[in-house]
Amino acid sequence: MCCVLEPTSLLQGNLVLGGALLLKRKGVTKSTTLSGEEVFYTDDDDALGNEGVLPRSMYVVECFSDEAVGMALASEMPIFVEEGICERAGSVPVKLDVRRAAALKREND
């Protein structure tokens, strides 16, 4: 499993990231008792009620970037980002209206 952050904006000059998760279907862990001993096994044929889900198949799930990062952190998956995206993100100028920010701070205090 892994997480990918990718550019999604079609407009030039915008840096908007989307996410994608590459997930591998695992079988369902089941158990049975044989000769008084509980035995665990993986049932790859149990589709959990999802028709067309194949055992050990891989799926790409498109999602928002924050969902992808959250899933990656929770699952301890690596996050892949193109090197150019990181370089571009560091070079985008940020404009801050100090007066407006101060007014918002006062309103929320």
Side-chain angles (χ1 to χ4, degrees):
M1 294 187 347
C2 71
C3 165
V4 177
L5 296 179
E6 57 191 357
T8 58
S9 178
L10 300 175
L11 302 173
Q12 192 166 5
N14 285 347
L15 180 58
V16 179
L17 297 179
L21 300 169
L22 179 60
L23 304 175
K24 181 178 179 182
R25 183 196 180 277
K26 294 182 177 181
V28 178
T29 302
K30 295 185 176 182
S31 66
T32 190
T33 304
L34 298 172
S35 302
E37 184 179 339
E38 190 172 19
V39 178
F40 295 92
Y41 63 96
T42 302
D43 183 358
D44 288 332
D45 295 324
D46 189 339
L48 299 170
N50 299 306
E51 293 183 27
V53 175
L54 304 173
R56 292 182 288 287
S57 53
M58 303 289 282
Y59 296 93
V60 175
V61 179
E62 296 285 335
C63 56
F64 292 107
S65 57
D66 59 335
E67 294 171 323
V69 170
M71 183 70 176
L73 292 173
S75 304
E76 298 181 357
M77 292 190 286
I79 301 173
F80 295 98
V81 182
E82 288 178 31
E83 188 175 322
I85 291 174
C86 292
E87 291 170 358
R88 236 178 102 197
S91 66
V92 175
V94 177
K95 294 179 183 176
L96 176 63
D97 184 347
V98 177
R99 289 184 194 148
R100 181 70 183 133
L104 288 171
K105 183 178 183 317
R106 281 192 301 276
E107 290 174 12
N108 293 313
D109 283 343

